[in-house]
Amino acid sequence: EKISLTDYPQTQQLIEDMYQIWNEKKPGYKYKCTSMLYQLLYTVRLQVHNDLLQASNISPSLEAAVDYIHKDSICVKNLAKLSNISESQLRRQFQKAYGTSPLKYINHLRLEYAAQLLRSRLYTIEEVCEKAGFNDVKYFGRLFKQYYHETPGNYKNPQTQTGHN
């Protein structure tokens, strides 16, 4: 997939800075580069999101709801209120624009974020669950396994898989 970044000079500078930091190998360079990589991924993800909104001719009220999903803790009721439409209308428009329900979209975003946090190995599963916006670790684990076909623990530490699922 080809992405045209709107802020190419800033992105290029970020990559050049990462390269320099990595080559200098000063104490903490891996953490700094990891942080910069997440910043780069965020920039690209935001650009893809904005391109999707423009390409799909989404109504301004629905666009506000989607932006809210990316920024805050969310429920469909609040999204509908933010969009100045009923919950059922929000669900219909969302399904038409994104091919999924608002709740599934929200959970998809949260699970992607959780997967990034797990791969960083900086947080416990309980911390990832909380940071990703889930209140129940068991529910998070079930949802994560449905989406990634493995438990959060196995995803975080792939070498610990036994092959017995």
PDB file of all heavy atoms in Angstrom, residues 103 106-114 125-141 143-144:
ATOM      1  N   LEU A 103     -18.842  -0.474  18.113  1.00  0.00           N
ATOM      2  CA  LEU A 103     -18.207  -1.207  19.204  1.00  0.00           C
ATOM      3  C   LEU A 103     -17.082  -2.115  18.699  1.00  0.00           C
ATOM      4  O   LEU A 103     -16.000  -2.155  19.286  1.00  0.00           O
ATOM      5  CB  LEU A 103     -19.241  -2.029  19.972  1.00  0.00           C
ATOM      6  CG  LEU A 103     -18.708  -2.791  21.180  1.00  0.00           C
ATOM      7  CD1 LEU A 103     -18.086  -1.840  22.202  1.00  0.00           C
ATOM      8  CD2 LEU A 103     -19.808  -3.606  21.825  1.00  0.00           C
ATOM      9  N   ILE A 106     -14.154   0.094  17.801  1.00  0.00           N
ATOM     10  CA  ILE A 106     -13.487   0.545  19.029  1.00  0.00           C
ATOM     11  C   ILE A 106     -12.606  -0.572  19.584  1.00  0.00           C
ATOM     12  O   ILE A 106     -11.432  -0.370  19.903  1.00  0.00           O
ATOM     13  CB  ILE A 106     -14.523   0.991  20.081  1.00  0.00           C
ATOM     14  CG1 ILE A 106     -15.231   2.267  19.630  1.00  0.00           C
ATOM     15  CG2 ILE A 106     -13.872   1.185  21.449  1.00  0.00           C
ATOM     16  CD1 ILE A 106     -16.507   2.572  20.403  1.00  0.00           C
ATOM     17  N   ASN A 107     -13.174  -1.771  19.690  1.00  0.00           N
ATOM     18  CA  ASN A 107     -12.408  -2.897  20.218  1.00  0.00           C
ATOM     19  C   ASN A 107     -11.226  -3.243  19.328  1.00  0.00           C
ATOM     20  O   ASN A 107     -10.145  -3.578  19.814  1.00  0.00           O
ATOM     21  CB  ASN A 107     -13.306  -4.113  20.422  1.00  0.00           C
ATOM     22  CG  ASN A 107     -14.166  -3.982  21.654  1.00  0.00           C
ATOM     23  OD1 ASN A 107     -13.850  -3.232  22.582  1.00  0.00           O
ATOM     24  ND2 ASN A 107     -15.270  -4.684  21.675  1.00  0.00           N
ATOM     25  N   HIS A 108     -11.412  -3.136  18.016  1.00  0.00           N
ATOM     26  CA  HIS A 108     -10.320  -3.385  17.071  1.00  0.00           C
ATOM     27  C   HIS A 108      -9.149  -2.414  17.341  1.00  0.00           C
ATOM     28  O   HIS A 108      -7.989  -2.832  17.430  1.00  0.00           O
ATOM     29  CB  HIS A 108     -10.835  -3.229  15.641  1.00  0.00           C
ATOM     30  CG  HIS A 108      -9.777  -3.228  14.597  1.00  0.00           C
ATOM     31  ND1 HIS A 108      -9.176  -4.367  14.141  1.00  0.00           N
ATOM     32  CD2 HIS A 108      -9.196  -2.204  13.922  1.00  0.00           C
ATOM     33  CE1 HIS A 108      -8.269  -4.059  13.235  1.00  0.00           C
ATOM     34  NE2 HIS A 108      -8.264  -2.759  13.075  1.00  0.00           N
ATOM     35  N   LEU A 109      -9.462  -1.132  17.494  1.00  0.00           N
ATOM     36  CA  LEU A 109      -8.416  -0.144  17.774  1.00  0.00           C
ATOM     37  C   LEU A 109      -7.735  -0.425  19.110  1.00  0.00           C
ATOM     38  O   LEU A 109      -6.507  -0.353  19.225  1.00  0.00           O
ATOM     39  CB  LEU A 109      -9.001   1.272  17.792  1.00  0.00           C
ATOM     40  CG  LEU A 109      -9.463   1.831  16.462  1.00  0.00           C
ATOM     41  CD1 LEU A 109     -10.135   3.183  16.669  1.00  0.00           C
ATOM     42  CD2 LEU A 109      -8.306   1.969  15.502  1.00  0.00           C
ATOM     43  N   ARG A 110      -8.522  -0.738  20.110  1.00  0.00           N
ATOM     44  CA  ARG A 110      -7.962  -1.031  21.436  1.00  0.00           C
ATOM     45  C   ARG A 110      -7.071  -2.260  21.403  1.00  0.00           C
ATOM     46  O   ARG A 110      -6.017  -2.295  22.038  1.00  0.00           O
ATOM     47  CB  ARG A 110      -9.088  -1.219  22.447  1.00  0.00           C
ATOM     48  CG  ARG A 110      -9.786   0.071  22.810  1.00  0.00           C
ATOM     49  CD  ARG A 110     -10.921  -0.181  23.763  1.00  0.00           C
ATOM     50  NE  ARG A 110     -11.512   1.062  24.221  1.00  0.00           N
ATOM     51  CZ  ARG A 110     -12.646   1.147  24.861  1.00  0.00           C
ATOM     52  NH1 ARG A 110     -13.338   0.051  25.127  1.00  0.00           N
ATOM     53  NH2 ARG A 110     -13.114   2.301  25.250  1.00  0.00           N
ATOM     54  N   LEU A 111      -7.493  -3.282  20.661  1.00  0.00           N
ATOM     55  CA  LEU A 111      -6.695  -4.500  20.577  1.00  0.00           C
ATOM     56  C   LEU A 111      -5.402  -4.277  19.802  1.00  0.00           C
ATOM     57  O   LEU A 111      -4.359  -4.843  20.156  1.00  0.00           O
ATOM     58  CB  LEU A 111      -7.515  -5.633  19.952  1.00  0.00           C
ATOM     59  CG  LEU A 111      -8.620  -6.184  20.842  1.00  0.00           C
ATOM     60  CD1 LEU A 111      -9.539  -7.101  20.041  1.00  0.00           C
ATOM     61  CD2 LEU A 111      -8.051  -6.900  22.055  1.00  0.00           C
ATOM     62  N   GLU A 112      -5.438  -3.473  18.764  1.00  0.00           N
ATOM     63  CA  GLU A 112      -4.202  -3.146  18.040  1.00  0.00           C
ATOM     64  C   GLU A 112      -3.223  -2.427  18.959  1.00  0.00           C
ATOM     65  O   GLU A 112      -2.026  -2.715  18.952  1.00  0.00           O
ATOM     66  CB  GLU A 112      -4.504  -2.279  16.818  1.00  0.00           C
ATOM     67  CG  GLU A 112      -5.069  -3.040  15.646  1.00  0.00           C
ATOM     68  CD  GLU A 112      -5.268  -2.159  14.419  1.00  0.00           C
ATOM     69  OE1 GLU A 112      -5.195  -0.922  14.521  1.00  0.00           O
ATOM     70  OE2 GLU A 112      -5.501  -2.731  13.345  1.00  0.00           O
ATOM     71  N   TYR A 113      -3.749  -1.484  19.734  1.00  0.00           N
ATOM     72  CA  TYR A 113      -2.906  -0.761  20.676  1.00  0.00           C
ATOM     73  C   TYR A 113      -2.357  -1.718  21.732  1.00  0.00           C
ATOM     74  O   TYR A 113      -1.169  -1.677  22.062  1.00  0.00           O
ATOM     75  CB  TYR A 113      -3.713   0.363  21.321  1.00  0.00           C
ATOM     76  CG  TYR A 113      -2.940   1.189  22.316  1.00  0.00           C
ATOM     77  CD1 TYR A 113      -1.809   1.901  21.926  1.00  0.00           C
ATOM     78  CD2 TYR A 113      -3.343   1.263  23.635  1.00  0.00           C
ATOM     79  CE1 TYR A 113      -1.095   2.658  22.836  1.00  0.00           C
ATOM     80  CE2 TYR A 113      -2.631   2.033  24.552  1.00  0.00           C
ATOM     81  CZ  TYR A 113      -1.515   2.726  24.151  1.00  0.00           C
ATOM     82  OH  TYR A 113      -0.813   3.478  25.056  1.00  0.00           O
ATOM     83  N   ALA A 114      -3.204  -2.600  22.224  1.00  0.00           N
ATOM     84  CA  ALA A 114      -2.775  -3.578  23.220  1.00  0.00           C
ATOM     85  C   ALA A 114      -1.665  -4.468  22.662  1.00  0.00           C
ATOM     86  O   ALA A 114      -0.690  -4.768  23.356  1.00  0.00           O
ATOM     87  CB  ALA A 114      -3.959  -4.424  23.678  1.00  0.00           C
ATOM     88  N   ILE A 125       0.358  -7.804  31.496  1.00  0.00           N
ATOM     89  CA  ILE A 125      -0.903  -7.956  30.774  1.00  0.00           C
ATOM     90  C   ILE A 125      -1.991  -7.104  31.427  1.00  0.00           C
ATOM     91  O   ILE A 125      -2.797  -6.480  30.738  1.00  0.00           O
ATOM     92  CB  ILE A 125      -1.310  -9.440  30.692  1.00  0.00           C
ATOM     93  CG1 ILE A 125      -0.303 -10.180  29.793  1.00  0.00           C
ATOM     94  CG2 ILE A 125      -2.738  -9.598  30.175  1.00  0.00           C
ATOM     95  CD1 ILE A 125      -0.436 -11.670  29.769  1.00  0.00           C
ATOM     96  N   GLU A 126      -1.984  -7.035  32.752  1.00  0.00           N
ATOM     97  CA  GLU A 126      -2.965  -6.215  33.460  1.00  0.00           C
ATOM     98  C   GLU A 126      -2.802  -4.731  33.110  1.00  0.00           C
ATOM     99  O   GLU A 126      -3.785  -4.020  32.899  1.00  0.00           O
ATOM    100  CB  GLU A 126      -2.845  -6.407  34.978  1.00  0.00           C
ATOM    101  CG  GLU A 126      -3.270  -7.782  35.467  1.00  0.00           C
ATOM    102  CD  GLU A 126      -2.228  -8.879  35.228  1.00  0.00           C
ATOM    103  OE1 GLU A 126      -1.052  -8.557  34.889  1.00  0.00           O
ATOM    104  OE2 GLU A 126      -2.592 -10.059  35.338  1.00  0.00           O
ATOM    105  N   GLU A 127      -1.565  -4.267  33.026  1.00  0.00           N
ATOM    106  CA  GLU A 127      -1.310  -2.870  32.656  1.00  0.00           C
ATOM    107  C   GLU A 127      -1.740  -2.598  31.214  1.00  0.00           C
ATOM    108  O   GLU A 127      -2.324  -1.561  30.921  1.00  0.00           O
ATOM    109  CB  GLU A 127       0.179  -2.534  32.822  1.00  0.00           C
ATOM    110  CG  GLU A 127       0.622  -2.461  34.259  1.00  0.00           C
ATOM    111  CD  GLU A 127       2.139  -2.344  34.401  1.00  0.00           C
ATOM    112  OE1 GLU A 127       2.887  -2.913  33.565  1.00  0.00           O
ATOM    113  OE2 GLU A 127       2.577  -1.682  35.364  1.00  0.00           O
ATOM    114  N   VAL A 128      -1.459  -3.540  30.316  1.00  0.00           N
ATOM    115  CA  VAL A 128      -1.862  -3.393  28.918  1.00  0.00           C
ATOM    116  C   VAL A 128      -3.381  -3.329  28.833  1.00  0.00           C
ATOM    117  O   VAL A 128      -3.937  -2.487  28.122  1.00  0.00           O
ATOM    118  CB  VAL A 128      -1.308  -4.547  28.057  1.00  0.00           C
ATOM    119  CG1 VAL A 128      -1.945  -4.569  26.681  1.00  0.00           C
ATOM    120  CG2 VAL A 128       0.207  -4.438  27.941  1.00  0.00           C
ATOM    121  N   CYS A 129      -4.043  -4.202  29.555  1.00  0.00           N
ATOM    122  CA  CYS A 129      -5.501  -4.232  29.582  1.00  0.00           C
ATOM    123  C   CYS A 129      -6.048  -2.861  29.969  1.00  0.00           C
ATOM    124  O   CYS A 129      -6.920  -2.318  29.289  1.00  0.00           O
ATOM    125  CB  CYS A 129      -5.965  -5.299  30.572  1.00  0.00           C
ATOM    126  SG  CYS A 129      -7.739  -5.376  30.841  1.00  0.00           S
ATOM    127  N   GLU A 130      -5.519  -2.293  31.015  1.00  0.00           N
ATOM    128  CA  GLU A 130      -5.977  -0.983  31.492  1.00  0.00           C
ATOM    129  C   GLU A 130      -5.637   0.128  30.502  1.00  0.00           C
ATOM    130  O   GLU A 130      -6.480   0.956  30.164  1.00  0.00           O
ATOM    131  CB  GLU A 130      -5.339  -0.674  32.848  1.00  0.00           C
ATOM    132  CG  GLU A 130      -5.796   0.635  33.443  1.00  0.00           C
ATOM    133  CD  GLU A 130      -5.123   0.928  34.770  1.00  0.00           C
ATOM    134  OE1 GLU A 130      -4.844  -0.014  35.532  1.00  0.00           O
ATOM    135  OE2 GLU A 130      -4.858   2.109  35.048  1.00  0.00           O
ATOM    136  N   LYS A 131      -4.410   0.137  30.002  1.00  0.00           N
ATOM    137  CA  LYS A 131      -3.979   1.188  29.067  1.00  0.00           C
ATOM    138  C   LYS A 131      -4.771   1.155  27.764  1.00  0.00           C
ATOM    139  O   LYS A 131      -4.981   2.178  27.129  1.00  0.00           O
ATOM    140  CB  LYS A 131      -2.483   1.076  28.778  1.00  0.00           C
ATOM    141  CG  LYS A 131      -1.599   1.509  29.921  1.00  0.00           C
ATOM    142  CD  LYS A 131      -0.131   1.337  29.561  1.00  0.00           C
ATOM    143  CE  LYS A 131       0.777   1.746  30.681  1.00  0.00           C
ATOM    144  NZ  LYS A 131       0.699   3.150  31.023  1.00  0.00           N
ATOM    145  N   ALA A 132      -5.199  -0.037  27.363  1.00  0.00           N
ATOM    146  CA  ALA A 132      -5.954  -0.182  26.115  1.00  0.00           C
ATOM    147  C   ALA A 132      -7.451   0.093  26.302  1.00  0.00           C
ATOM    148  O   ALA A 132      -8.210   0.037  25.339  1.00  0.00           O
ATOM    149  CB  ALA A 132      -5.742  -1.576  25.537  1.00  0.00           C
ATOM    150  N   GLY A 133      -7.860   0.378  27.526  1.00  0.00           N
ATOM    151  CA  GLY A 133      -9.244   0.771  27.756  1.00  0.00           C
ATOM    152  C   GLY A 133     -10.185  -0.356  28.128  1.00  0.00           C
ATOM    153  O   GLY A 133     -11.400  -0.204  28.040  1.00  0.00           O
ATOM    154  N   PHE A 134      -9.650  -1.493  28.545  1.00  0.00           N
ATOM    155  CA  PHE A 134     -10.487  -2.608  28.982  1.00  0.00           C
ATOM    156  C   PHE A 134     -10.510  -2.641  30.502  1.00  0.00           C
ATOM    157  O   PHE A 134      -9.489  -2.438  31.154  1.00  0.00           O
ATOM    158  CB  PHE A 134      -9.952  -3.937  28.431  1.00  0.00           C
ATOM    159  CG  PHE A 134     -10.045  -4.053  26.943  1.00  0.00           C
ATOM    160  CD1 PHE A 134      -8.954  -3.742  26.136  1.00  0.00           C
ATOM    161  CD2 PHE A 134     -11.218  -4.455  26.339  1.00  0.00           C
ATOM    162  CE1 PHE A 134      -9.030  -3.839  24.764  1.00  0.00           C
ATOM    163  CE2 PHE A 134     -11.307  -4.555  24.947  1.00  0.00           C
ATOM    164  CZ  PHE A 134     -10.215  -4.251  24.171  1.00  0.00           C
ATOM    165  N   ASN A 135     -11.678  -2.935  31.062  1.00  0.00           N
ATOM    166  CA  ASN A 135     -11.835  -2.956  32.518  1.00  0.00           C
ATOM    167  C   ASN A 135     -11.677  -4.340  33.119  1.00  0.00           C
ATOM    168  O   ASN A 135     -11.448  -4.476  34.308  1.00  0.00           O
ATOM    169  CB  ASN A 135     -13.219  -2.407  32.910  1.00  0.00           C
ATOM    170  CG  ASN A 135     -13.374  -0.961  32.509  1.00  0.00           C
ATOM    171  OD1 ASN A 135     -12.430  -0.186  32.556  1.00  0.00           O
ATOM    172  ND2 ASN A 135     -14.577  -0.601  32.093  1.00  0.00           N
ATOM    173  N   ASP A 136     -11.806  -5.372  32.304  1.00  0.00           N
ATOM    174  CA  ASP A 136     -11.803  -6.742  32.790  1.00  0.00           C
ATOM    175  C   ASP A 136     -10.728  -7.544  32.052  1.00  0.00           C
ATOM    176  O   ASP A 136     -10.783  -7.685  30.828  1.00  0.00           O
ATOM    177  CB  ASP A 136     -13.189  -7.349  32.549  1.00  0.00           C
ATOM    178  CG  ASP A 136     -13.336  -8.776  33.046  1.00  0.00           C
ATOM    179  OD1 ASP A 136     -12.327  -9.457  33.287  1.00  0.00           O
ATOM    180  OD2 ASP A 136     -14.497  -9.217  33.187  1.00  0.00           O
ATOM    181  N   VAL A 137      -9.767  -8.069  32.794  1.00  0.00           N
ATOM    182  CA  VAL A 137      -8.650  -8.797  32.188  1.00  0.00           C
ATOM    183  C   VAL A 137      -9.132 -10.066  31.483  1.00  0.00           C
ATOM    184  O   VAL A 137      -8.629 -10.410  30.406  1.00  0.00           O
ATOM    185  CB  VAL A 137      -7.571  -9.131  33.249  1.00  0.00           C
ATOM    186  CG1 VAL A 137      -6.458  -9.981  32.659  1.00  0.00           C
ATOM    187  CG2 VAL A 137      -6.995  -7.864  33.841  1.00  0.00           C
ATOM    188  N   LYS A 138     -10.105 -10.759  32.061  1.00  0.00           N
ATOM    189  CA  LYS A 138     -10.607 -11.984  31.430  1.00  0.00           C
ATOM    190  C   LYS A 138     -11.295 -11.667  30.102  1.00  0.00           C
ATOM    191  O   LYS A 138     -11.096 -12.364  29.112  1.00  0.00           O
ATOM    192  CB  LYS A 138     -11.571 -12.712  32.372  1.00  0.00           C
ATOM    193  CG  LYS A 138     -10.872 -13.374  33.535  1.00  0.00           C
ATOM    194  CD  LYS A 138     -11.851 -14.126  34.401  1.00  0.00           C
ATOM    195  CE  LYS A 138     -11.117 -14.734  35.590  1.00  0.00           C
ATOM    196  NZ  LYS A 138     -12.015 -15.500  36.453  1.00  0.00           N
ATOM    197  N   TYR A 139     -12.118 -10.629  30.088  1.00  0.00           N
ATOM    198  CA  TYR A 139     -12.785 -10.216  28.846  1.00  0.00           C
ATOM    199  C   TYR A 139     -11.739  -9.807  27.814  1.00  0.00           C
ATOM    200  O   TYR A 139     -11.820 -10.199  26.642  1.00  0.00           O
ATOM    201  CB  TYR A 139     -13.751  -9.061  29.127  1.00  0.00           C
ATOM    202  CG  TYR A 139     -14.372  -8.476  27.879  1.00  0.00           C
ATOM    203  CD1 TYR A 139     -15.304  -9.201  27.135  1.00  0.00           C
ATOM    204  CD2 TYR A 139     -14.024  -7.204  27.438  1.00  0.00           C
ATOM    205  CE1 TYR A 139     -15.880  -8.668  25.988  1.00  0.00           C
ATOM    206  CE2 TYR A 139     -14.595  -6.664  26.291  1.00  0.00           C
ATOM    207  CZ  TYR A 139     -15.512  -7.401  25.572  1.00  0.00           C
ATOM    208  OH  TYR A 139     -16.060  -6.872  24.431  1.00  0.00           O
ATOM    209  N   PHE A 140     -10.749  -9.032  28.245  1.00  0.00           N
ATOM    210  CA  PHE A 140      -9.663  -8.621  27.352  1.00  0.00           C
ATOM    211  C   PHE A 140      -8.977  -9.842  26.757  1.00  0.00           C
ATOM    212  O   PHE A 140      -8.732  -9.915  25.554  1.00  0.00           O
ATOM    213  CB  PHE A 140      -8.657  -7.747  28.109  1.00  0.00           C
ATOM    214  CG  PHE A 140      -7.353  -7.556  27.394  1.00  0.00           C
ATOM    215  CD1 PHE A 140      -7.273  -6.812  26.230  1.00  0.00           C
ATOM    216  CD2 PHE A 140      -6.186  -8.126  27.884  1.00  0.00           C
ATOM    217  CE1 PHE A 140      -6.065  -6.632  25.564  1.00  0.00           C
ATOM    218  CE2 PHE A 140      -4.974  -7.958  27.233  1.00  0.00           C
ATOM    219  CZ  PHE A 140      -4.916  -7.203  26.067  1.00  0.00           C
ATOM    220  N   GLY A 141      -8.679 -10.828  27.601  1.00  0.00           N
ATOM    221  CA  GLY A 141      -8.008 -12.042  27.138  1.00  0.00           C
ATOM    222  C   GLY A 141      -8.826 -12.805  26.107  1.00  0.00           C
ATOM    223  O   GLY A 141      -8.299 -13.265  25.091  1.00  0.00           O
ATOM    224  N   LEU A 143     -11.261 -11.575  24.149  1.00  0.00           N
ATOM    225  CA  LEU A 143     -11.352 -10.769  22.933  1.00  0.00           C
ATOM    226  C   LEU A 143     -10.029 -10.804  22.166  1.00  0.00           C
ATOM    227  O   LEU A 143     -10.012 -10.941  20.940  1.00  0.00           O
ATOM    228  CB  LEU A 143     -11.706  -9.328  23.313  1.00  0.00           C
ATOM    229  CG  LEU A 143     -12.451  -8.491  22.313  1.00  0.00           C
ATOM    230  CD1 LEU A 143     -13.754  -9.142  21.885  1.00  0.00           C
ATOM    231  CD2 LEU A 143     -12.751  -7.121  22.917  1.00  0.00           C
ATOM    232  N   PHE A 144      -8.920 -10.694  22.887  1.00  0.00           N
ATOM    233  CA  PHE A 144      -7.597 -10.720  22.261  1.00  0.00           C
ATOM    234  C   PHE A 144      -7.383 -12.052  21.536  1.00  0.00           C
ATOM    235  O   PHE A 144      -6.911 -12.087  20.402  1.00  0.00           O
ATOM    236  CB  PHE A 144      -6.504 -10.496  23.310  1.00  0.00           C
ATOM    237  CG  PHE A 144      -5.162 -10.215  22.717  1.00  0.00           C
ATOM    238  CD1 PHE A 144      -4.754  -8.914  22.487  1.00  0.00           C
ATOM    239  CD2 PHE A 144      -4.289 -11.245  22.381  1.00  0.00           C
ATOM    240  CE1 PHE A 144      -3.518  -8.639  21.916  1.00  0.00           C
ATOM    241  CE2 PHE A 144      -3.051 -10.981  21.815  1.00  0.00           C
ATOM    242  CZ  PHE A 144      -2.662  -9.676  21.592  1.00  0.00           C
TER     243      PHE A 144
END
